[in-house]
Amino acid sequence: MIDLSFFSGLPVAVLGLGKSGMAAARALQAGGGEVWAWDDSEDQRAAARAAEIPLVDLNQVNWQEVTSLILSPGIPHTHPEPHPVVVAARAHDVEIIGDIELLGRAQRNARFLGITGTNGKSTTTALVGHILQLAGRAVAVGGNLGTPALTLEPLDLEGVYVLEMSSYQLELTRSITFDVAVLLNISPDHLERHGGFEGYVAAKRMIFHRQTKPRSAVIGVDDETCSEIYSALKAADEQEVVPISGQRIVPGGVYVEDGVLIDDMDGARVPALDLKEIASLPGVHNWQNAAAAYAACRAIGVDAPVIAACLRSFPGLPHRQEILDVIDGVPFINDSKATNAEAAAMALACYDKIVWIAGGRAKEGGIAGLERYFPRIVHAFLIGEAAEEIAGILQGQAPFTLSGRLEEAVPAAAAEAARHPGAVVLLSPACASFDQYRNFEIRGDAFRDLVAALPGERGDVGAAFSPEGAS
């Protein structure tokens, strides 16, 4: 736990008692702060009572007495409209910050490596943490990845905090200047929380806040928005700027050519490793993640051969193109984290014959942009609120079944895949989970359990499936 004793004796409000909010309340309480915690959910308040966290209704307090408001990132503070507690705090000039800001204030001597992007940031964060740990660095990994920042261990001057940063978290973090900041990609997402695409881009750009040389900005240039940001930062010449790409040559950066990771950071075009040999990193999007992790770790001081060796042993992350099992020759792939069309596209691009399980609660834009992958879909099994909407788009393009729930979709998908040699069963919903599951992790775990219950002969994942055939 991080020491927050600089708040000792001071009233501090905490709004939102999910994982990060509870961790903040506990750390503040342990540091001697006078915690005023609140959540609009009675269930969350009950959990706080059980943990002996002091509850105070923040809708009815004297804000002149409060030092700071620690806001959970899921609570709106600007768009579509700020939470009433935020409005009251702001009216009394109370600072509004997040838990990662507290980590930055408490651990000023450590180094910080931040990673953001619309897609791929969890995998890249895990990759960087994996490399630094195997390289013998003192490292703590958390943030949006799932481990609350204030539950991490304190680090000394040589330690590195590797933090996945959402756009929400970036807006609530002011003190941290990242020694290495990674921006992978930007596509429309969470627009209602940022007042539109420009606000979303502005939030993502905050990862580079106050960076000066020798600090480094690692930027994916495979989308137009990030390519423009790269050009602007390169022209400003305030920090070291390293371009990365999963699909094209970028002089002076790290990129992938025919599946081979090329290190051109020193202008030498050194082939670092063949990513096609790493089953846990299939597809161009994961190649971009690998390029970003490689560049970030080089920028933080890890030797190139060490990085390459560590990448080879990366086990992958749950719910992100996770190969669960091979049954009667059919791979079952859990990509529950694909909660929008762009994320699903990254998985659909990897396999030639797909029995696709999709659906849930539709996000803005639905499955627009996935049309070019329809010829790969031998059959789709559709679940959740968006099932009929997706069916209407697939009509005449790919065969489909309205399954409704995973319990019906999985055995039917297994039977269908058996009729198509070389097919995979892919759960890549292109939708949020909230219609049937509390989060994408629970949805992915349900898929895992259903796959485990299927009859059939189990095969070796590494031998039966390789990403070499991925396009």
Side-chain angles (χ1 to χ4, degrees), residues 258-259 274-287 321 323 331 333 346-347 349-352 376 424 461-471:
D258 297 326
D274 189 345
L275 293 173
K276 296 191 298 294
E277 297 175 355
I278 305 176
S280 60
L281 294 171
V284 169
H285 65 293
N286 272 317
W287 293 354
Q321 280 185 262
I323 306 167
I333 300 163
M346 295 174 181
C350 289
Y351 313 103
D352 293 328
R376 300 174 181 230
V424 303
V461 168
F465 174 78
S466 167
E468 290 184 9
S471 58

Side-chain angles (χ1 to χ4, degrees), residues 217-468:
V218 175
I219 307 177
V221 294
D222 290 339
D223 66 89
E224 183 179 354
T225 301
C226 286
S227 184
E228 291 174 355
I229 293 172
Y230 165 75
S231 297
L233 292 186
K234 190 71 174 175
D237 196 31
E238 293 178 349
Q239 68 271 79
E240 303 293 342
V241 186
V242 182
I244 58 102
S245 173
Q247 58 193 37
R248 64 185 178 90
I249 295 172
V250 285
V254 179
Y255 58 91
V256 180
E257 189 174 20
D258 297 326
V260 176
L261 187 70
I262 306 295
D263 178 357
D264 196 40
M265 289 176 70
D266 298 324
R269 287 177 54 93
V270 177
L273 77 161
D274 189 345
L275 293 173
K276 296 191 298 294
E277 297 175 355
I278 305 176
S280 60
L281 294 171
V284 169
H285 65 293
N286 272 317
W287 293 354
Q288 187 199 48
N289 296 339
Y294 183 99
C297 290
R298 273 212 62 190
I300 208 78
V302 182
D303 292 338
V306 174
I307 300 171
C310 295
L311 277 169
R312 290 188 178 94
S313 64
F314 180 62
L317 279 179
H319 314 299
R320 295 154 177 91
Q321 280 185 262
E322 176 191 12
I323 306 167
L324 296 178
D325 209 340
V326 177
I327 304 175
D328 294 334
V330 176
F332 288 76
I333 300 163
N334 171 20
D335 194 39
S336 182
K337 179 63 169 67
T339 59
N340 58 37
E342 184 161 355
M346 295 174 181
L348 292 170
C350 289
Y351 313 103
D352 293 328
K353 293 183 181 179
I354 303 166
V355 177
W356 186 31
I357 301 176
R361 178 164 294 169
K363 284 197 170 180
E364 184 176 348
I367 64 166
L370 299 184
E371 293 82 3
R372 58 180 167 157
Y373 302 111
F374 290 172
R376 300 174 181 230
I377 299 169
V378 298
H379 202 100
F381 292 88
L382 307 177
I383 63 173
E385 291 177 356
E388 291 191 6
E389 177 184 339
I390 297 173
I393 297 169
L394 290 178
Q395 187 73 45
Q397 305 295 316
F400 61 85
T401 298
L402 291 168
S403 298
R405 301 192 65 84
L406 270 178
E407 290 82 356
E408 285 72 42
V410 171
E416 184 66 34
R419 292 192 282 270
H420 301 274
V424 303
V425 174
L426 172 66
L427 171 69
S428 191
C431 293
S433 62
F434 305 128
D435 56 335
Q436 295 178 340
Y437 301 95
R438 193 165 68 249
N439 53 49
F440 74 83
E441 292 98 337
I442 293 174
R443 177 171 62 188
D445 289 340
F447 181 59
R448 185 196 317 276
D449 292 343
L450 290 164
V451 170
L454 290 172
E457 182 179 348
R458 265 56 183 177
D460 179 70
V461 168
F465 174 78
S466 167
E468 290 184 9

